[in-house]
Amino acid sequence: MNGIRIDKWLWAARFFKTRALAIKACDLNRVLSNGVAAKPAREVKVGDKLEITNDTGVFGIEVLGLSENRGAAAVAALLFRESDASKELRARALVERKENPQFFEPAPLGRPSKRDRRLIHSFRGR
């Protein structure tokens, strides 16, 4: 195998849960292959440098292996190598999110009260 579609590879390497999400990320220019925005059908080869943005952060990786099949996480981890700078940036972003608690409001306990429901309905425009 010389090359594989990038959306299949992203799915097999477990960066996205479905191929549809991988295709959408490519369409939204969240996947860069060797510094160029990658379309879903673009071929990825061993040695390519990818920059992938997903919910967990920005990954700067080098492709080490190719696979069309989604396997175990341990097998998927052998398909790529993440750069040290990428690991450091993601760790720093995680620390910043934990230090800033204003974005993490606790979920309300129990069901909404009658007053809460009225506020929800007025907010939604009903």
Side-chain angles (χ1 to χ4, degrees):
M1 186 179 337
N2 198 16
I4 185 173
R5 285 177 59 110
I6 197 163
D7 60 334
K8 282 187 181 182
W9 188 87
L10 290 169
W11 169 73
R14 293 182 166 262
F15 283 101
F16 298 98
K17 288 187 177 189
T18 64
R19 276 190 59 201
L21 290 175
I23 290 169
K24 187 174 182 181
C26 289
D27 289 338
L28 295 174
N29 294 333
R30 293 183 181 159
V31 178
L32 302 177
S33 176
N34 296 323
V36 179
K39 292 185 177 180
R42 183 184 185 107
E43 272 198 353
V44 65
K45 298 176 183 169
V46 175
D48 282 354
K49 306 276 188 210
L50 301 179
E51 187 173 316
I52 304 159
T53 304
N54 65 10
D55 297 338
T56 57
V58 179
F59 293 85
I61 63 165
E62 178 184 357
V63 178
L64 299 178
L66 302 176
S67 175
E68 286 187 354
N69 301 325
R70 187 176 173 103
V75 175
L78 300 175
L79 297 177
F80 63 91
R81 177 177 52 229
E82 185 176 7
S83 67
D84 294 333
S86 172
K87 288 179 186 177
E88 183 180 323
L89 283 174
R90 284 191 313 109
R92 193 177 314 139
L94 179 65
V95 169
E96 288 176 7
R97 281 186 298 214
K98 284 185 178 181
E99 288 177 354
N100 199 353
Q102 71 181 3
F103 295 110
F104 297 105
E105 294 182 18
L109 301 173
R111 295 176 47 177
S113 66
K114 188 172 186 177
R115 180 176 181 270
D116 293 336
R117 281 195 308 273
R118 286 181 181 152
L119 289 172
I120 291 170
H121 290 309
S122 68
F123 179 72
R124 288 186 177 172
R126 292 185 186 170

